Amino acid sequence: MKILVTGGAGFIGSHLCKYLISIGNHVTCIDNFYTGSKKNLLAIAKNPNFKFIEADITKKINFKVDQIFNLACPASPVHYQKDPLNTIKTNTLGMINILENAYKNNSTVLQASTSEVYGDPLISPQEESYWGNVNPIGIRSCYDEGKRIAETMCTDFSKQMKINIKIARIFNTYGSNMQKDDGRVISNFFVQAMQNKDLTVYGDGNQTRSFCFIEDMLDGLVRLMNEKEYNINPVNLGNPEEFKVSDVAKIIIRLTKSKSKITYQNLPSDDPKIRKPDISLAKKRLDWYPKIQLLDGLRETESYFRSII
Ligand code: NAD
Ligand code: UDP
């Protein structure tokens, strides 16, 4: 198939491009390098089935492809909060451009949505039917409200214009190709531990997250994109094993044999206290569940960070 991956120079996108090529597809990647990097694409840059175009999805695009994975959007709070208007434009104007392109060229769109649509959830685990608890005017709103309106646009385009859409609600994912200065918890802790600097736990560290290794996520995304029988939307993709952030810090210090200590800093506002996906739907309809335990995934991620630090 001919596939377009937006945000393909980023963490998940670069792995996805490589994976899609390895299973026989022709992949075009577009990215504006807002948080992505050319280095992430070195392994496939010269592959004849791969093409890279520097482009911004907030501008009109025209690609005749079978499938579009729309991953373009900064995902780390540090980066999406740096220029909130840019984040909002990417999630709104960018989303419309993707959907109009899909309508014109009859492509299926998989939208990379997020567990952030549940905000600071009042129930756990979070299942797809939960509407969430989201602040519309907080520091995370450009991202979480942006992703919510993107889901609305996908749903209404699908109903009104009859295009095929898939909404993946991705939960915290980690692995190689994260930038050193990405700012998310796993990359921060590895970089700090390897430099024997204090690990910065925000708040008391009792907030929880559930971490999915990149390989499992790729499998889930591709299964969802190719699922035709049930036409399910949206679908949670994530690893339901839940960890306190302070425990993740301890695990990474132990794993890297670091001399680092833990330091506690202020918790950013609206930081969700709990997060754990209910993945029954993905299990039932995609026969998907994560196979890689946190410690195994972290070991692989450690070698990547050692290679770049
Ligand atoms: P990332 O920041 O590493 O990658 C995002 C990529 O999109 C970067 O290469 C960036 O340069 C590009 N980009 C940003 N705005 C763009 C624009 N307007 N036009 C073209 N390219 C643009 O993030 P990631 O972790 O790889 O996340 C990929 C997608 O998955 C994002 O949409 C994110 O919201 C979603 N997601 C990720 C996670 C996670 O834990 N990694 C969790 C939930 C959702
Ligand atoms: N966090 C932390 N120290 C860091 C970076 C993040 O304690 O150096 C916390 C953050 O406050 C949040 C959790 O780790 O509670 C996950 O943060 P991340 O930015 O990775 O993702 P998100 O909050 O979007 O889930």
Side-chain angles (χ1 to χ4, degrees):
M1 278 186 289
K2 286 189 180 155
I3 304 181
L4 176 68
V5 177
T6 77
F11 157 52
I12 299 181
S14 56
H15 283 283
L16 184 62
C17 289
K18 193 171 166 197
Y19 180 61
L20 292 170
I21 289 173
S22 77
I23 55 174
N25 299 290
H26 294 259
V27 174
T28 301
C29 160
I30 60 174
D31 203 293
N32 66 354
F33 294 123
Y34 188 72
T35 50
S37 142
K38 278 188 184 150
K39 273 193 203 149
N40 283 347
L41 296 169
L42 278 181
I44 49 170
K46 296 213 165 84
N47 191 302
N49 294 332
F50 179 70
K51 192 159 139 195
F52 177 81
I53 296 169
E54 189 168 344
D56 190 314
I57 63 158
T58 62
K59 309 280 177 325
K60 291 264 177 235
I61 53 165
N62 190 9
F63 291 94
K64 194 163 173 42
V65 290
D66 303 298
Q67 298 183 338
I68 305 174
F69 286 87
N70 184 36
L71 271 62
C73 181
S76 160
V78 178
H79 294 293
Y80 70 64
Q81 288 166 18
K82 198 168 61 189
D83 184 352
L85 293 181
N86 179 62
T87 306
I88 293 169
K89 284 179 191 162
T90 296
N91 280 322
T92 53
L93 296 178
M95 188 77 249
I96 289 183
N97 288 336
I98 297 296
L99 291 165
E100 284 178 345
N101 182 91
Y103 174 65
K104 200 162 137 194
N105 296 301
N106 199 21
S107 331
T108 301
V109 177
L110 182 143
Q111 165 62 1
S113 190
T114 169
S115 51
E116 298 272 336
V117 299
Y118 301 121
D120 189 7
L122 304 176
I123 61 156
S124 196
Q126 294 83 54
E127 55 187 52
E128 290 86 351
S129 58
Y130 180 51
W131 289 356
N133 175 38
V134 182
N135 177 359
I137 53 165
I139 57 170
R140 299 175 84 97
S141 312
C142 58
Y143 183 75
D144 50 29
E145 291 288 25
K147 291 283 187 179
R148 284 165 69 96
I149 189 71
E151 286 198 8
T152 310
M153 288 175 181
C154 285
T155 310
D156 287 337
F157 254 82
S158 156
K159 282 188 202 149
Q160 214 170 317
M161 312 300 273
K162 310 283 178 251
I163 63 172
N164 288 325
I165 59 124
K166 311 280 182 173
I167 299 171
R169 287 187 178 157
I170 302 172
F171 283 64
N172 299 61
T173 301
Y174 68 98
S176 60
N177 293 4
M178 296 183 91
Q179 306 291 318
K180 263 192 294 194
D181 64 352
D182 179 272
R184 282 175 278 187
V185 67
I186 299 287
S187 48
N188 271 8
F189 285 177
F190 267 120
V191 173
Q192 291 161 343
M194 286 176 187
Q195 296 176 336
N196 290 316
K197 291 182 179 156
D198 288 351
L199 269 64
T200 51
V201 167
Y202 303 156
D204 60 9
N206 285 328
Q207 71 271 36
T208 67
R209 293 293 184 274
S210 309
F211 297 96
C212 186
F213 189 55
I214 183 69
E215 269 176 39
D216 283 325
M217 184 53 61
L218 295 179
D219 181 33
L221 291 171
V222 173
R223 277 175 195 248
L224 177 59
M225 176 60 110
N226 293 316
E227 192 282 314
K228 292 195 175 69
E229 201 179 335
Y230 303 102
N231 205 20
I232 36 167
N233 271 315
V235 180
N236 286 342
L237 294 178
N239 190 322
E241 215 186 332
E242 191 180 15
F243 292 86
K244 286 184 183 172
V245 166
S246 55
D247 288 337
V248 175
K250 288 175 202 154
I251 293 170
I252 291 183
I253 289 176
R254 235 183 0 253
L255 189 70
T256 53
K257 301 190 176 60
S258 169
K259 296 191 181 69
S260 301
K261 304 265 180 302
I262 293 176
T263 167
Y264 292 87
Q265 299 191 349
N266 289 341
L267 187 69
S269 60
D270 297 342
D271 198 286
K273 287 181 269 310
I274 46 169
R275 185 176 295 153
K276 174 183 166 76
D278 180 322
I279 58 163
S280 321
L281 188 62
K283 269 190 184 155
K284 193 166 164 194
R285 297 299 184 216
L286 307 177
D287 192 23
W288 177 86
Y289 58 93
K291 300 185 178 63
I292 297 157
Q293 304 281 316
L294 183 66
L295 210 51
D296 295 328
L298 288 180
R299 279 199 191 96
E300 278 206 36
T301 310
E302 181 191 6
S303 345
Y304 162 73
F305 278 107
R306 291 228 181 263
S307 76
I308 61 161
I309 287 172

